[in-house]
Amino acid sequence: MEDIPQPASDPYDPGDSVCVHLGPDDPDSRFHGVRCEVVDRFSDNLDRETGRDSDRFTYRVRSVDGDVLPVEFRHADLVPKE
């Protein structure tokens, strides 16, 4: 059985190194596997609907080549870069 990377248990902070982890059916799957740095962290109230605290966080990230990606990612879409 394949090990599936998991998001961090705590929110990411600007400057943290992460990797985008999306399924093949995700509309933004072209970013799967991109190594990034967190630029900004935002919060909303999605956690109230899902019951998972981490669901309230979205992130703006910059790829290691310096480009800010044109999509914000939910906490579950990012895994710590090893």
Side-chain angles (χ1 to χ4, degrees), residues 19-78:
C19 188
V20 178
H21 188 79
L22 301 170
D25 296 335
D26 190 289
D28 297 313
S29 64
R30 67 188 180 277
F31 298 115
H32 178 78
V34 174
R35 294 177 175 261
C36 302
E37 176 183 327
V38 173
V39 175
D40 292 303
R41 177 177 68 200
F42 308 100
S43 63
D44 58 24
N45 60 2
L46 183 63
D47 62 319
R48 293 181 194 158
E49 295 179 36
T50 66
R52 292 182 301 265
D53 289 338
S54 63
D55 284 349
R56 70 180 174 202
F57 298 111
T58 57
Y59 303 89
R60 181 178 300 134
V61 298
R62 173 184 16 226
S63 66
V64 294
D65 65 9
D67 294 329
V68 173
L69 300 186
V71 181
E72 291 177 5
F73 295 96
R74 287 271 169 200
H75 187 83
D77 297 332
L78 301 173

